[in-house]
Amino acid sequence: MGTRPGRSCPSEAWRVSDSYLNLLRAPGVARVMASQLVARFPTGMLALGILIHIETVFGSYGAAGVVLAAMSVGQALAGPVTSRMMGRFGARRVLVVTTVLCAGSMAVVALAPMQLWGFVVFALLTGLSSPPVQPAVRTIYPRLVDVGKLPRLFSLDASAQEIIWVAGPLVITVVSREISPVVGLLVCVAVTLAGGAWFITSKELGTVRIARSETRLGAVLLKPGVMLATVTGLLLIGAGAAVEVGVVARFGEGGLQAGVVLALAAVASLAGGLTLGHLPLTDWTLTRRLAVVAVGTFLAIYVSGVWWTGLAMVVFGFGIAPALAVMYTMVSDSTDFSESAEAYGWIGTGQLVGAAVGSAIAGFMIDANGPAGGFAVAAVVAALAVVAAALLRHARPKRTGADLLADAVSEG
């Protein structure tokens, strides 16, 4: 990369930051990125908000885990389906309907006095109606920048998403603690509607026509790289869900400490992604990064207090974004561009199934054994992820950047 006129030998850090700024200056990029981040911001708040609310109502983390599992199952079922529906009915129409239904279901969970089964039903509806913002964004981005700049744009987008996981837990815990869990969930409703409206009305969304998929639903899962990413993603996010429940149980459902500790994990994840993201990948890269996550979960079992738990969460978080980056790269390298949207949808579904199972099992283990039970569940699941990545390491595809560029050109 050459120097800019008037500047001699700029540092690598300056050149990287300048390239990201140039991306944001491209027409529509900053607006689309900001609006989709706001539209998705409740994803960093909702799980904790429901956990705090349901535990307050029923006095049971097991009950809260069941409700969270119902929402996650709904999201898992909806992901590939709503993405395909955008090709049939249009992105804006699908996003409007799902945004309104999702916000309405959240409001019922927050305000309606119900038995546990009622909360499960409306949490499931909340998950089923989750707006497919990510698939829509991935379709818009290639229209905003040249194909050669897409990897950098996706990297910038992935890094920016950590804002959701840093600020979201803090916002929901502060609101739930200082005001009430009900108000916390209503904040989620308001942000869902406001962010959804901003993204839906962006002119860039109106210029994109998402093509109807011609392949059989689920066929892409037969590709080894997609299957490896799905399995390890399920286990990684399952461990993360168990950690989240364990942190909230350790520091109290309304305590600010829980939000701080979870924010530390998110900051560490961002740091890990920026630190390790540029390194070349090998068959053992995913295994090593998942091992870092597993070490953090095991440490969390045996420590106590905000700072020691926070340190364990820093270790845990440092491996998350780098591990996810490997998974998403495997999906990209395993699929043609026409298949990638559905493939990413299935990766998301696997992760949500992991979140459902992890949070439910952790909830019951906490009721029986205290907060350490939640971290023990996380440690076992993370260890399984390490084993799976090691055993299936040869499924990692070996396609080159030239192969991917050729696909992009051939598909228009």
Side-chain angles (χ1 to χ4, degrees), residues 167-383:
L170 282 173
V171 170
I172 194 67
T173 51
V174 168
V175 173
S176 297
R177 173 184 167 221
E178 298 298 331
I179 306 176
S180 78
V182 171
V183 173
L185 287 178
L186 292 179
V187 170
C188 294
V189 172
V191 176
T192 297
L193 292 173
W198 186 13
F199 178 68
I200 290 166
T201 56
S202 64
K203 66 178 182 179
E204 290 78 15
L205 183 62
T207 65
V208 173
R209 177 72 175 93
I210 300 177
R212 183 181 297 194
S213 177
E214 302 295 337
T215 60
R216 179 172 56 87
L217 181 66
V220 72
L221 283 171
L222 298 177
K223 300 197 171 187
V226 177
M227 179 56 67
L228 172 58
T230 301
V231 171
T232 53
L234 183 154
L235 294 169
L236 173 62
I237 301 305
V243 161
E244 186 172 90
V245 179
V247 167
V248 173
R250 176 168 287 177
F251 298 108
E253 63 272 11
L256 179 61
Q257 298 96 326
V260 171
V261 169
L262 292 172
L264 285 174
V267 171
S269 176
L270 173 59
L274 295 176
T275 302
L276 305 177
H278 67 285
L279 299 179
L281 304 182
T282 71
D283 287 346
W284 288 101
T285 300
L286 181 58
T287 304
R288 289 195 297 266
R289 295 179 181 183
L290 288 172
V292 174
V293 174
V295 168
T297 59
F298 275 101
L299 289 175
I301 300 173
Y302 301 105
V303 300
S304 61
V306 173
W307 297 116
W308 284 111
T309 304
L311 178 61
M313 290 300 95
V314 166
V315 176
F316 162 77
F318 193 78
I320 292 178
L324 289 172
V326 178
M327 296 174 198
Y328 293 141
T329 299
M330 286 193 299
V331 173
S332 176
D333 291 351
S334 298
T335 60
D336 298 329
F337 282 4
S338 59
E339 302 171 309
S340 61
E342 183 186 342
Y344 283 118
W346 283 111
I347 299 303
T349 291
Q351 293 174 359
L352 289 163
V353 170
V357 174
S359 60
I361 296 176
F364 285 112
M365 286 293 291
I366 288 168
D367 284 344
N369 302 291
F375 294 115
V377 171
V380 170
V381 176

